[in-house]
Amino acid sequence: MSAEATTDERAGILLVDDMEDNLIALEAVLGSLNEPLVRARSGEEAMKALLRQRFALVLLDVRMPGMDGFETATNIKRLDQTKDVPIIFLTGAEDDPGYAFRGYATGAADYLTKPFDPWVLRAKVSVFLDLHRKNQQLARKPTHSAEFLIRLAALEKELDGQDPPDMAKLRNQIRELRHLAGERQLL
């Protein structure tokens, strides 16, 4: 995780598989990313987890009893609060070749067959985590831009006032604006 990532950006990764061994393998591969890993043993459990907290990514097994991966993905993409969460489908190599097409048709961002290369999986997950962080930064930027403009307007109003401005107060306000602009890269 980059030094600039905040706890807001650590939305985590949802691991969905009905097989304990597969969940353990995913945790072993992704543990070094230092992001929260949340387990779900079924599609139903995955949906409950997605409604409780935000995730940067879902790794979803295709074949599960009850609600399979395709149905789970369809439900994820149907809800406003989860529709933008990327899904990487994971399935056995012996599964129907049409599964990949069906996975993409239900909204998957990627599709990997088991056994997967741990380096490839970690690299793909890292890309989605970086995208999530950048989206979070962009989502916050307008708020900071508005704050910057409000403070700038207050500074201009003080300079336009009838009384001579308090120079120490103005210097402090300018320092705060520089700090805000530097942190948010607005200028």
Side-chain angles (χ1 to χ4, degrees):
M1 187 172 74
S2 68
E4 63 201 42
T6 66
T7 54
D8 288 344
E9 295 159 347
R10 294 187 71 219
I13 304 164
L14 180 59
L15 311 175
V16 187
D17 200 305
D18 61 314
M19 304 294 293
E20 180 70 17
D21 290 347
N22 292 340
L23 291 170
I24 291 169
L26 288 170
E27 288 171 337
V29 169
L30 302 174
S32 64
L33 296 175
N34 295 322
E35 295 292 341
L37 303 174
V38 176
R39 291 172 159 222
R41 300 280 311 252
S42 67
E44 293 85 356
E45 238 182 87
M47 292 308 299
K48 287 178 187 173
L50 283 158
L51 293 173
R52 280 193 305 268
Q53 74 182 83
R54 293 175 0 140
F55 290 95
L57 175 66
V58 176
L59 297 178
L60 182 58
D61 184 30
V62 170
R63 292 191 303 159
M64 296 183 292
M67 188 188 314
D68 69 10
F70 299 123
E71 188 178 350
T72 303
T74 300
N75 287 328
I76 291 169
K77 295 303 178 181
R78 244 185 231 147
L79 296 174
D80 282 341
Q81 74 186 74
T82 59
K83 68 181 178 189
D84 295 326
V85 178
I87 299 168
I88 296 178
F89 270 114
L90 302 173
T91 191
E94 73 283 353
D95 285 341
D96 183 341
Y99 277 12
F101 174 77
R102 191 169 169 203
Y104 288 119
T106 60
D110 208 342
Y111 194 93
L112 292 174
T113 55
K114 301 175 199 171
F116 49 81
D117 181 328
W119 297 104
V120 170
L121 178 63
R122 193 174 11 255
K124 287 177 183 269
V125 168
S126 293
V127 167
F128 284 107
L129 290 171
D130 286 342
L131 285 171
H132 173 76
R133 287 185 199 107
K134 291 192 183 343
N135 284 337
Q136 292 298 313
Q137 289 170 353
L138 286 173
R140 284 193 306 273
K141 191 170 183 173
T143 303
H144 298 306
S145 298
E147 181 182 353
F148 182 84
L149 292 174
I150 289 167
R151 287 184 180 196
L152 185 60
L155 181 61
E156 287 175 333
K157 185 176 179 182
E158 187 157 334
L159 286 171
D160 291 339
Q162 298 290 355
D163 298 326
D166 177 350
M167 295 308 283
K169 184 177 175 186
L170 285 177
R171 281 190 192 99
N172 190 38
Q173 288 175 321
I174 290 170
R175 264 189 234 106
E176 287 176 5
L177 284 172
R178 281 190 180 143
H179 180 73
L180 184 63
E183 276 188 4
R184 311 298 179 225
Q185 300 174 358
L186 293 175
L187 298 179

